[in-house]
Amino acid sequence: MIKEHYITHLQENGYKCTPQRSVILSYFCQHKNKLISASTVRNDLEKDNWSISLDTIYRSLSLFSDVGLLESTSLNGKRLFGLKNKLDHQNMFICTQCRTVKPLNFCPKGIVQSFLNDCLITSHKFEVYGLCPSCCK
């Protein structure tokens, strides 16, 4: 999905695409399939001469997560964000070393629901952690 689709989705949810939000979305589009911390975003943008406060970055990342543009997870005590490949939920493999994300092409919700047949699942998140082929070497 290209950046314009993400901007349209943001606007359809009632939010403006400010210059800062646009830069942050562009950053994530350039780093798709990676999980990135807010401080890494700020440091990398500063190298490109963008001066965006860490507070603004956190607010933008939180907003993007709330409207479904980014996935967020915690790994080793850090909150990390990654661009969704599609705008519905995404199950994924996460490399604990390089933070590469590989979307999983299946959803285990049905299997879990069969064990919880008297419960109503309203949301879920499925993440598998390990090392990608590059980091196994």
Side-chain angles (χ1 to χ4, degrees):
M1 191 177 304
I2 56 175
K3 179 183 162 190
E4 288 75 26
H5 287 99
Y6 292 98
I7 290 172
T8 300
H9 185 75
L10 185 65
Q11 292 169 335
E12 287 172 347
N13 281 274
Y15 297 97
K16 293 180 183 178
C17 188
T18 64
Q20 295 89 346
R21 289 175 183 167
S22 180
V23 167
I24 294 168
L25 271 176
S26 293
Y27 177 84
F28 276 94
C29 288
Q30 294 168 3
H31 295 88
K32 53 187 164 190
N33 298 324
K34 285 284 194 185
L35 291 175
I36 306 164
S37 69
S39 59
T40 298
V41 172
R42 185 196 60 198
N43 293 340
D44 287 350
L45 291 179
E46 282 180 349
K47 291 176 190 172
D48 291 336
N49 295 317
W50 278 96
S51 180
I52 303 175
S53 74
L54 193 55
D55 286 342
T56 298
I57 291 171
Y58 269 114
R59 282 193 305 273
S60 295
L61 296 180
S62 181
L63 169 65
F64 295 162
S65 293
D66 289 347
V67 298
L69 300 178
L70 298 180
E71 286 284 345
S72 114
T73 192
S74 292
L75 184 62
N76 300 326
K78 276 190 170 180
R79 188 165 181 209
L80 303 173
F81 301 87
L83 191 66
K84 282 188 171 185
N85 291 325
K86 51 186 181 174
L87 294 177
D88 57 356
H89 84 278
Q90 182 173 303
N91 301 304
M92 62 187 125
F93 168 82
I94 301 169
C95 179
T96 55
Q97 187 166 328
C98 71
R99 298 183 184 162
T100 297
V101 174
K102 291 186 179 193
L104 301 176
N105 294 328
F106 67 93
C107 181
K109 180 183 174 192
I111 296 168
V112 174
Q113 183 69 65
S114 69
F115 287 101
L116 302 171
N117 56 11
D118 58 340
C119 299
L120 173 64
I121 297 174
T122 58
S123 178
H124 71 282
K125 185 176 184 176
F126 184 69
E127 298 174 344
V128 179
Y129 302 91
L131 296 174
C132 68
S134 298
C135 292
C136 283
K137 295 178 183 177

